[in-house]
Amino acid sequence: MAIDDLLDEHEQSERVRSWLRNNGAGLLGGVALGLAVILGWQWWQKDQAGKKEQAYQEYQTAIEGLAKGDLKQAKAAVDALAKSDALYADAAGLQLAKAQVQAGERDAAIATLRGLTPDDTLRPLINLRLARLLIDAGKHGEALKLLDAADDASSLEVRGDALLATGKAKEAQEAYTRALTTLDAVSPQRRLVELKLIHAGGTPPKTGGAA
């Protein structure tokens, strides 16, 4: 091997060592950061999986409590879920509120529904059920506030119920009439709303199939 070649190899080695001295700390830091990100991601995934499993177990506890009529057990499980998983909490909370109503615990059912934090998909259903219970409790103003922006048939029907209960027959008629405009002529709900409209002093609009 020629002397020049040896010098070139020596020079290259020196350059490598010099580069490592100048950049070694940053290189090691980058590797350490990369490992930290990977390990952190793995830990986060494991943590989330553990939380989901815990939430599922709490949900099962709530369902088991409802199955055997132990509302205290079910409520404790729903309260625990409210702190960890809103989706499971809403699902179990709706069932708990129904069981509480059936057990004659209307006020407890109202408290259960008020304690839920549903997303936009489930909120209309929870507001509707809560509004019905509030009307039964004589809290018509609160029920109307819940349904203020609702425009589906069921919400308009319940809004009419609240208005009629407060003596606002004309406004109740308008709510029932709006509900009827969104219902099919063959809808089972339609006949009930028509009867409510008549009771409020209104006249049901003719359907498209009327003679």
Side-chain angles (χ1 to χ4, degrees):
M1 179 178 295
I3 296 297
D4 289 342
D5 292 336
L6 289 174
L7 290 175
D8 287 344
E9 289 182 7
H10 177 73
E11 184 180 355
Q12 290 172 3
S13 298
E14 283 301 318
R15 287 180 178 176
V16 170
R17 282 193 288 269
S18 177
W19 186 89
L20 287 174
R21 282 195 298 270
N22 295 330
N23 301 281
L27 179 63
L28 291 175
V31 172
L33 179 60
L35 288 174
V37 170
I38 293 172
L39 293 175
W41 173 250
Q42 291 177 341
W43 175 87
W44 183 83
Q45 286 184 313
K46 185 176 180 180
D47 181 64
Q48 291 300 305
K51 288 180 179 179
K52 284 295 182 182
E53 177 62 25
Q54 179 62 31
Y56 177 74
Q57 292 301 327
E58 292 288 356
Y59 176 76
Q60 287 298 112
T61 298
I63 299 305
E64 290 169 5
L66 292 173
K68 60 185 180 183
D70 189 342
L71 300 186
K72 289 185 178 180
Q73 175 183 319
K75 184 180 185 305
V78 171
D79 289 343
L81 283 169
K83 300 175 183 178
S84 60
D85 193 297
L87 184 60
Y88 274 125
D90 294 341
L94 280 169
Q95 297 181 67
L96 172 59
K98 181 179 180 180
Q100 289 170 325
V101 170
Q102 293 173 338
E105 300 179 9
R106 181 197 62 207
D107 292 343
I110 290 175
T112 294
L113 293 176
R114 277 179 167 164
L116 302 181
T117 55
D119 59 17
D120 292 340
T121 301
L122 198 56
R123 185 176 289 109
L125 173 61
I126 291 178
N127 284 350
L128 180 61
R129 293 189 180 183
L130 179 54
R132 284 172 173 159
L133 293 176
L134 289 171
I135 291 172
D136 186 61
K139 300 178 180 180
H140 308 109
E142 292 182 42
L144 288 170
K145 186 176 180 180
L146 273 178
L147 303 176
D148 184 56
D151 58 1
D152 61 284
S154 294
S155 295
L156 289 169
E157 177 189 349
V158 175
R159 182 173 175 77
D161 295 344
L163 289 166
L164 188 60
T166 58
K168 298 179 180 179
K170 188 66 177 178
E171 293 181 46
Q173 292 174 27
E174 293 174 358
Y176 291 139
T177 300
R178 284 182 60 198
L180 287 172
T181 61
T182 68
L183 291 170
D184 292 333
V186 295
S187 170
Q189 183 183 356
R190 185 179 184 86
R191 182 54 181 163
L192 175 60
V193 178
E194 287 177 339
L195 290 173
K196 289 183 177 183
L197 176 56
I198 292 171
H199 178 68
T203 302
K206 294 182 178 181
T207 62

